Amino acid sequence: MKVPLEHIVPPGGFHYVDRSGGDLVRIEGGSDDEVAAKVLKHRLSNGRVPGDPLQEIIAERCEKYPHFCRDLTPEEVPARQFAANIGGGMATRAAAWLARFVQFSRADRGVSLTESQRRADICAACPHNEEFRGGCGSCVDNINRLFFVWRRDRALPREAELKACKILGQHNGAAVLADRLPTIDSDANAKLPAQCWRKTAT
């Protein structure tokens, strides 16, 4: 897997031509993460499949300009967390996280009810458990649709109290149920409270 070299502005500036609706729509921003967030919001606002805009931007860039990219080491690949870095509202971040999560975790059977209850208790009491439902309407609709399909009929403890993680950008309901979750990078891990079930020892 390749990623663009840091501090290198691509020809024409940071941009992406989105083709998800058939028409060509040029979307610009100050960084790849910002462009990806705008692409995601554009797709969700127009009822399109969210896809993985950051990875699409990276793949296109590195195909066109391979000398502007480098290979990731195996250790670096799972640590790139788009939703933790895109900024914007909580609904946009949670939609980005859930779209990527569902894409790579469709067959996740989840954890036991005992474990999901333990996790839910911690998340519900966490100060970083932030509301997303009042944000971008199309993002919230997409979150609800994706989560309903992925969740199937699994019970979710404290469902009404689970929101989104301000630090990780994750949808806490999905995270509480999931057996396989994205790796957390060291910067995000350091910001998590000591009692967080997602925090890893350093």
Side-chain angles (χ1 to χ4, degrees):
M1 180 178 178
K2 291 180 177 290
V3 294
L5 296 170
E6 296 180 0
H7 312 303
I8 300 292
V9 178
F14 293 102
H15 70 278
Y16 183 71
V17 178
D18 186 65
R19 302 171 176 82
S20 61
D23 297 326
L24 305 184
V25 179
R26 181 184 171 97
I27 297 174
E28 301 178 347
S31 67
D32 285 330
D33 286 333
E34 183 180 340
V35 174
K38 289 182 176 181
V39 171
L40 177 70
K41 190 168 185 178
H42 167 72
R43 291 176 179 175
L44 294 177
S45 297
N46 290 280
R48 296 167 189 165
V49 176
D52 189 342
L54 182 61
Q55 187 53 46
E56 293 168 30
I57 291 167
I58 290 172
E60 182 175 283
R61 170 91 45 74
C62 292
E63 182 178 352
K64 285 185 177 179
Y65 310 107
H67 53 292
F68 287 164
C69 297
R70 68 178 179 87
D71 288 309
L72 284 180
T73 66
E75 292 77 18
E76 289 178 299
V77 173
R80 187 176 181 87
Q81 295 201 65
F82 170 48
N85 300 315
I86 63 171
M90 203 66 249
T92 303
R93 295 179 64 204
W97 185 91
L98 192 58
R100 296 194 77 189
F101 170 75
V102 169
Q103 182 178 359
F104 295 107
S105 305
R106 293 185 184 278
D108 192 327
R109 293 186 175 183
V111 294
S112 68
L113 183 58
T114 300
E115 175 60 15
S116 62
Q117 180 71 65
R118 182 186 75 86
R119 295 176 177 183
D121 289 341
I122 294 172
C123 284
C126 181
H128 301 294
N129 180 39
E130 186 166 299
E131 185 59 78
F132 64 85
R133 297 174 183 89
C136 161
S138 55
C139 298
V140 174
D141 289 343
N142 198 65
I143 288 170
N144 292 338
R145 179 182 61 80
L146 286 174
F147 184 51
F148 176 80
V149 172
W150 177 84
R151 174 185 176 179
R152 299 185 294 279
D153 58 351
R154 285 176 282 189
L156 177 58
R158 305 186 71 159
E159 180 172 358
E161 300 171 74
L162 297 178
K163 302 168 186 175
C165 178
K166 185 175 182 180
I167 295 174
L168 304 178
Q170 73 181 17
H171 181 276
N172 284 335
V176 160
L177 293 176
D179 181 43
R180 294 181 296 175
L181 288 161
T183 302
I184 300 172
D185 63 39
S186 57
D187 288 342
N189 190 64
K191 296 175 183 177
L192 293 172
Q195 70 273 21
C196 180
W197 61 273
R198 292 222 60 197
K199 191 177 184 71
T200 57
T202 56

